[in-house]
Amino acid sequence: MEFTTHTRDSIKVISLKGEMNANTSGQAETRIDQLIMGGNKKLIINLDDLNYISSAGLRVLLSANKLMKNKEGEIRLCGLNDTVKEVFEISGFHMIFPIFQSESEALSGF
Amino acid sequence: MTISIRNRLNEIGHAHRSFLTFIGNYQVEDALIQKMSIVIDEVLSNIIQYGFKSQEIHTIDIEYIIHKNILEMKFVDDGRPFNPLMIPQPDLNHPLELIEGGGLGIHIMRNLADDINYSRIDGRNYLVIKKSVL
């Protein structure tokens, strides 16, 4: 899996590309945690190029969300494809994260 | 297609790539390939992480078949007996309990597959997962 980060309207955005599965999720966890521990209290995780996510990936997102909440910050997600959306609904994740269609919508009012 | 992998997480990629090669011979929509890739990940990570008591190398045999528009994926391992169908269905009104309490991967797998069959024969777990590819 690949990651790119950029800053838009002074908010950090990390884009995840490929698959978040049992083998790759550890790399994503390290990178996301670095961004949170680095003092970013607002973080957008852009999933436009994420093919699919398994439970290992969901656990990484959940643990990042907890870490961010401890720092009184917020994580927003955007760009979920239909498969990722379905997995979120099956597992109840759509009730845990604020989810937006696009990066611009996630930035709006953040 | 039949392949074997060792009980190591970094071998899941091999099972996944083989699946993509196999399914590439058929006209199947991307979303279904993504969903079955998730199922493969959940099954194998579960076997690899919880199926064996020691770090010894074991082999997991995998078979992918399409017959009469049904994809069948068979996983065979000699780990401890484990029937994922015996895990109770979670209470979806409490998502955090589901996520933190374990069983999340099995819950996802059960929802994405059409049919799951488990048997234990001669010290081996046989898990057969079916999905219509129409």
Side-chain angles (χ1 to χ4, degrees), chain A residues 19-31:
Chain A
E19 296 85 28
M20 273 186 99
N21 57 33
N23 195 34
T24 59
S25 290
Q27 305 158 34
E29 182 165 36
T30 306
R31 189 70 194 104

Side-chain angles (χ1 to χ4, degrees), chain A residues 34-48:
Chain A
Q34 276 171 355
L35 290 169
I36 298 170
M37 297 311 284
N40 295 289
K41 286 197 171 184
K42 294 178 180 177
L43 178 65
I44 293 174
I45 303 180
N46 185 329
L47 305 179
D48 270 337

Side-chain angles (χ1 to χ4, degrees), chain B residues 39-111:
Chain B
V39 169
I40 292 168
D41 193 61
E42 302 299 358
V43 170
L44 292 177
S45 60
N46 212 45
I47 295 171
I48 292 167
Q49 292 181 104
Y50 307 113
F52 304 99
K53 286 176 187 153
S54 68
Q55 283 296 303
E56 273 176 35
I57 296 286
H58 291 258
T59 301
I60 303 162
D61 298 320
I62 305 161
E63 188 175 19
Y64 305 123
I65 300 169
I66 289 185
H67 181 61
K68 292 185 177 172
N69 295 313
I70 305 284
L71 167 69
E72 188 177 307
M73 305 192 290
K74 186 197 277 182
F75 303 86
V76 183
D77 70 86
D78 62 352
R80 69 185 83 195
F82 178 69
N83 180 357
L85 301 173
M86 295 301 283
I87 302 288
Q89 290 279 27
D91 178 359
L92 289 178
N93 292 317
H94 298 93
L96 282 174
E97 286 176 20
L98 162 66
I99 294 155
E100 293 176 338
L104 175 61
I106 290 166
H107 173 67
I108 292 171
M109 173 185 90
R110 290 172 82 163
N111 275 273

Side-chain angles (χ1 to χ4, degrees), chain A residues 83 89 92 99:
Chain A
T83 300
E89 280 162 15
I99 296 171

Side-chain angles (χ1 to χ4, degrees), chain A residues 19-23 51-56 58-59 62 66 81 83 86-87 90-93 95-96, chain B residues 9-10 12 16 31 34-35 37-38 41-42 45 92 95-96 98-100 102 104-105 107-108 111-112:
Chain A
E19 296 85 28
M20 273 186 99
N21 57 33
N23 195 34
N51 289 330
Y52 68 81
I53 186 166
S54 70
S55 61
L58 291 177
R59 287 183 201 285
L62 186 73
K66 272 189 180 169
N81 71 19
T83 300
E86 188 173 336
V87 170
I90 288 170
S91 56
F93 264 62
M95 293 188 269
I96 296 170
Chain B
L9 284 179
N10 60 10
I12 293 177
H16 180 61
Q34 291 161 351
K35 287 173 193 172
S37 296
I38 294 170
D41 193 61
E42 302 299 358
S45 60
L92 289 178
L96 282 174
L98 162 66
I99 294 155
E100 293 176 338
L104 175 61
H107 173 67
I108 292 171
N111 275 273
L112 295 180

